[in-house]
Amino acid sequence: MPETWVREHRRDADRFAEDARSAIETARWAPSVHNTQPWRFGVGDRRISVRGDADRRLEVADPAGREMLISCGAAIFTLGLALRGRGYAPRVRLLPDPDRPQLLAELTLDGPATGTTGEVGRLLEQVGLRSTHRGPFLPVPLPAGLLSLLREEARREGAVLHVVTGDHAVGALAALTQAAEHLERSDPGYDAEMTRWAPEPGSRRSDGVQDGSYPRQDERTEPHFAARGFARGQGWGSVPEAKAASGDLAVGTVALLTTRADGPEDWLRAGQALQRVLLRAQAEGNVSAAFHTQPLEIPELREVVRSRLCGGEHPQMLLRLGVAESERATVRRPADEVTDEDF
């Protein structure tokens, strides 16, 4: 075997290992339910796999793993975006092996390398800037044309973004969110799950919802979309910001992200679409999202949303879009903690 070929092969392998690590460093900043970060990455020979970490699934709120797979779908999209930013053209296969249900995706880098486009670079810049908002928004309109652009972004990943208009439709979703929050809080198992994923102030954990990332009190708007009770009546959380303290608050634009079918591949695609929408919203107008998955975690209420508010399609995410007064910090596990040698 020629020595030159060996050196070049080793250099290519070293470069791929470095690029794979860089891409995983980026992908770990994808959003996930309760910041559970339910993913693991495996690095092989010009291949990166994404697996679900069932130990991080919300057993009470998400027994089927739907929200876990939406979270992993967001990480898959971010991983592919980061690889394109490094000059690769990844081929993404979702659920490639029926005998290994935890293997959610395989990204193979056997295609020709392509240059970084302006779109890829711009979206990549938003990954570290994007954060989940938990509260009302400033009373300012979204940039003109943004909602049409976000609908197209969702469509590119096989999902539909329905912008909810009309006082009654928005009010119904707000009421369903409040009802779901009450129902979930009445379940002792749900309270234990919240305790697990919302640590006390001063925690040094690199996962979960930290106390600085949610408001101390549920800041009311009209209609009111109930926030998760991460503080659990302990007085934890951040104090209201200036606009919030003055009562100058807005619900924002309410939207439902849906898919035509409702299986594991659809949940992954919904996560990919969600992350594409979030990054584009951040890029085009510093627009953030607040999530309200409570009514979609209770089958009876999710069916009401499906049949009455999104044309029979399956709702995967209920969110509000708007401009936040400031962004809240979040945490992620180190890349080494979520990376394995592939097999």
Side-chain angles (χ1 to χ4, degrees):
M1 185 176 296
E3 185 178 341
T4 301
W5 183 91
V6 172
R7 284 200 304 268
E8 290 179 355
H9 183 74
R10 184 175 300 154
R11 185 163 53 247
D12 288 345
D14 290 345
R15 179 199 166 195
F16 172 70
E18 179 182 341
D19 289 342
R21 178 179 175 81
S22 174
I24 292 169
E25 286 275 3
T26 302
R28 68 194 177 98
W29 288 99
S32 60
V33 58
H34 293 7
N35 197 22
T36 51
Q37 305 168 47
W39 45 63
R40 297 202 67 82
F41 303 96
V43 179
D45 184 13
R46 297 187 70 82
R47 181 185 73 246
I48 303 177
S49 64
V50 182
R51 295 176 175 81
D53 187 345
D55 290 339
R56 291 175 169 268
R57 175 176 56 83
L58 303 178
E59 294 184 0
V60 177
D62 185 33
R66 183 182 64 85
E67 292 181 325
M68 182 184 80
L69 264 62
I70 291 174
S71 303
C72 289
I76 292 166
F77 176 83
T78 313
L79 180 65
L81 185 72
L83 289 168
R84 288 193 293 275
R86 303 288 290 190
Y88 295 95
R91 179 166 56 90
V92 181
R93 294 174 60 215
L94 299 179
L95 303 173
D97 187 347
D99 294 328
R100 299 159 69 191
Q102 291 302 321
L103 178 58
L104 304 180
E106 202 165 64
L107 286 75
T108 306
L109 307 176
D110 54 4
T114 58
T116 304
T117 66
E119 176 190 13
V120 169
R122 191 171 183 213
L123 291 183
L124 274 173
E125 290 173 355
Q126 313 309 314
V127 173
L129 300 175
R130 185 219 63 82
S131 64
T132 299
H133 183 67
R134 297 182 176 90
F137 294 107
L138 298 176
V140 297
L142 297 182
L146 177 62
L147 292 176
S148 295
L149 180 58
L150 298 185
R151 289 191 193 97
E152 175 60 21
E153 295 287 48
R155 188 198 64 77
R156 291 176 64 180
E157 300 298 332
V160 178
L161 185 70
H162 299 264
V163 177
V164 182
T165 58
D167 292 345
H168 294 301
V170 173
L173 285 170
L176 288 170
T177 302
Q178 294 179 55
E181 182 68 15
H182 283 299
L183 289 170
E184 290 191 316
R185 289 198 197 186
S186 69
D187 183 342
Y190 177 78
D191 184 66
E193 196 162 77
M194 292 289 283
T195 300
R196 177 186 178 190
W197 292 109
E200 297 183 10
S203 169
R204 301 182 65 179
R205 282 174 48 177
S206 55
D207 60 4
V209 183
Q210 305 294 317
D211 68 295
S213 66
Y214 55 84
R216 184 169 298 177
Q217 295 180 329
D218 191 359
E219 300 159 324
R220 298 193 65 84
T221 59
E222 184 56 45
H224 182 58
F225 283 77
R228 297 276 190 183
F230 292 116
R232 304 196 299 282
Q234 301 296 315
W236 302 339
S238 60
V239 298
E241 297 173 297
K243 288 283 187 181
S246 70
D248 197 2
L249 307 170
V251 171
T253 298
V254 179
L256 283 160
L257 185 72
T258 70
T259 55
R260 184 166 296 179
D262 194 33
E265 184 170 341
D266 305 288
W267 304 340
L268 290 171
R269 293 194 183 281
Q272 292 176 293
L274 176 65
Q275 180 69 329
R276 181 183 280 277
V277 165
L278 296 178
L279 296 180
R280 178 62 68 191
Q282 178 75 33
E284 298 300 329
N286 196 31
V287 171
S288 300
F291 303 112
H292 297 279
T293 54
Q294 302 100 310
L296 307 185
E297 294 168 352
I298 297 176
E300 299 87 346
L301 299 186
R302 187 174 182 234
E303 175 58 24
V304 170
V305 177
R306 185 196 69 80
S307 62
R308 302 297 295 270
L309 295 165
C310 47
E313 293 213 334
H314 297 276
Q316 307 297 352
M317 184 63 64
L318 169 59
L319 61 157
R320 295 180 295 111
L321 297 165
V323 178
E325 190 166 358
S326 66
E327 299 302 329
R328 302 181 191 273
T330 186
V331 294
R332 290 295 187 276
R333 293 186 289 163
D336 289 345
E337 192 174 313
V338 297
T339 306
D340 306 303
E341 184 177 348
D342 209 356
F343 53 88

